[in-house]
Amino acid sequence: MTEPNDTVPESHTAPESNVTTGPEGTDAPLHRRGIKSYVIRAGRMTQAQNRGLEDIWPRFGLTIADGRQDLDALFGRKAPRVVEIGFGMGNSLIEQAETHPDTDFIGIEVHAPGVGKLLDEVDKRGLTNLRVYREDALAVLEQCLPEGSLTTLQLFFPDPWPKKKHHKRRIVQPAFVDLIRTRLMPGGTFHMATDWEAYAEWMAEVMEAAPGYANTASEETAPYVPRPAFRPLTKFEARGEKLGHGVWDLIYRREG
C-alpha cells in the first residue's frame, strides 16, 4: 500500500561504493552513483502549490549551493534536529513540525507539487521550525548536513521497487545507511516505515549487517517496533489497516 498522495519515491541518488551489495541472496549490484531510487513524475500544480514555490520558498527553501549548514544559525537556536527524506505531499512532516515546536525539521523532496504544498502550509500555519530542500538527498547529506548533527533521520514509505531487477534502486543499501550513521549524533535514530513486507525484511537485513547501529525493538517484536505515536497515521495507512494491510516500522540507534 504505497501511498499515492502522501508519498512519492524518495529524493536521493544511491551512494557510490566499491564494497557493498544488497542483502544475501539478491542480485543487487554495487550501489553506485547514477542509480536513482526515484523518478520525478510530472503533475499539475495548484495555485497554493505555486504560491509555496514562488512566494514562500525564499524564506524556507534551501539549496545545495548554500553549502554546509550551521544548523544552530539556520534555525536561530539549539534544538533536536529531524530530517525526513521523501516527504511526498508533506502532510506527515507538517503535522510533526506543528506538534513538536521545540524540534527543528528539514524535509528533502524532489517532487515540485509536494514541496509547494508543504511550503504553503508552513506559511499558513505560521511554522518557523521547518526548512526544505528540493534536491537529491544524497547530495544534501554529503554536502550540506554536518556530521553528528541529527537527532533522527526518517524514511517513511519509500518506493519499494518490488521487481528483483529493480532492487538496486532501493534507497536502503549498505553504503547509504553508513552515510546516514555519520550524520546522526551518537544515540540518534534512523526510523524507517514501509507497507511492503519484503522491503521491510530487506531493510532489516541491511541494518543488521551495518556496523555502528543497534536495533531498538524488543525481543517480542524484533526486528520491528510498533508504530510510534510520534509518526502520524496517514489516511491511506489507516485505510490499509482496516483492509488488513500490514505496516512495518524499524528504528535503529547509532552506537558510538
Side-chain angles (χ1 to χ4, degrees):
M1 186 193 70
T2 300
E3 300 171 1
N5 293 320
D6 282 49
T7 58
V8 295
E10 66 278 7
S11 48
H12 97 300
T13 301
E16 188 172 10
S17 171
N18 57 9
V19 296
T20 58
T21 61
E24 185 178 358
T26 76
D27 62 353
L30 300 181
H31 209 188
R32 295 190 177 95
R33 191 179 309 278
I35 299 176
K36 295 181 182 292
S37 70
Y38 65 89
V39 175
I40 299 178
R41 299 187 175 102
R44 291 185 177 180
M45 296 286 291
T46 67
Q47 184 176 357
Q49 290 165 353
N50 278 318
R51 173 180 176 269
L53 287 177
E54 294 172 5
D55 299 339
I56 313 305
W57 175 269
R59 284 189 283 148
F60 299 103
L62 302 170
T63 70
I64 290 172
D66 297 329
R68 185 78 65 192
Q69 294 288 345
D70 178 334
L71 298 183
D72 290 348
L74 178 66
F75 288 98
R77 64 178 182 176
K78 291 184 180 292
R81 303 273 155 69
V82 176
V83 167
E84 183 166 330
I85 293 176
F87 58 75
M89 298 306 289
N91 296 339
S92 170
L93 189 55
I94 283 287
E95 183 175 337
Q96 291 178 78
E98 190 168 46
T99 304
H100 302 283
D102 295 331
T103 298
D104 296 329
F105 294 84
I106 297 174
I108 308 172
E109 178 58 70
V110 296
H111 188 56
V115 174
K117 182 176 184 294
L118 178 90
L119 290 170
D120 182 62
E121 287 295 325
V122 165
D123 182 61
K124 288 178 178 177
R125 301 186 191 204
L127 303 179
T128 60
N129 62 330
L130 199 159
R131 301 291 186 274
V132 60
Y133 282 95
R134 186 185 169 193
E135 301 275 9
D136 180 294
L138 174 61
V140 173
L141 289 170
E142 288 183 332
Q143 301 177 41
C144 304
L145 299 180
E147 293 189 6
S149 63
L150 306 181
T151 307
T152 301
L153 192 137
Q154 299 177 164
L155 179 67
F156 297 155
F157 304 99
D159 194 316
W161 294 101
K163 293 182 180 180
K164 189 174 182 179
K165 66 181 180 179
H166 292 152
H167 285 181
K168 62 183 177 289
R169 292 183 174 271
R170 289 176 169 176
I171 187 171
V172 179
Q173 303 281 356
F176 186 66
V177 302
D178 286 347
L179 175 60
I180 288 171
R181 182 184 177 276
T182 67
R183 269 45 187 175
L184 292 172
M185 62 181 59
T189 55
F190 178 27
H191 182 186
M192 296 165 282
T194 181
D195 50 8
W196 283 74
E197 186 172 12
Y199 198 10
E201 293 169 351
W202 170 289
M203 291 172 170
E205 279 193 60
V206 171
M207 294 305 299
E208 292 298 325
Y213 284 102
N215 195 338
T216 66
S218 67
E219 292 184 4
E220 292 74 20
T221 65
Y224 311 115
V225 299
R227 182 184 69 85
F230 56 78
R231 181 173 73 74
L233 181 69
T234 70
K235 61 182 179 181
F236 300 101
E237 186 179 353
R239 183 187 305 162
E241 286 187 352
K242 291 180 180 179
L243 296 173
H245 299 167
V247 172
W248 293 267
D249 283 78
L250 302 93
I251 301 179
Y252 285 79
R253 181 179 61 249
R254 174 184 169 175
E255 298 286 276

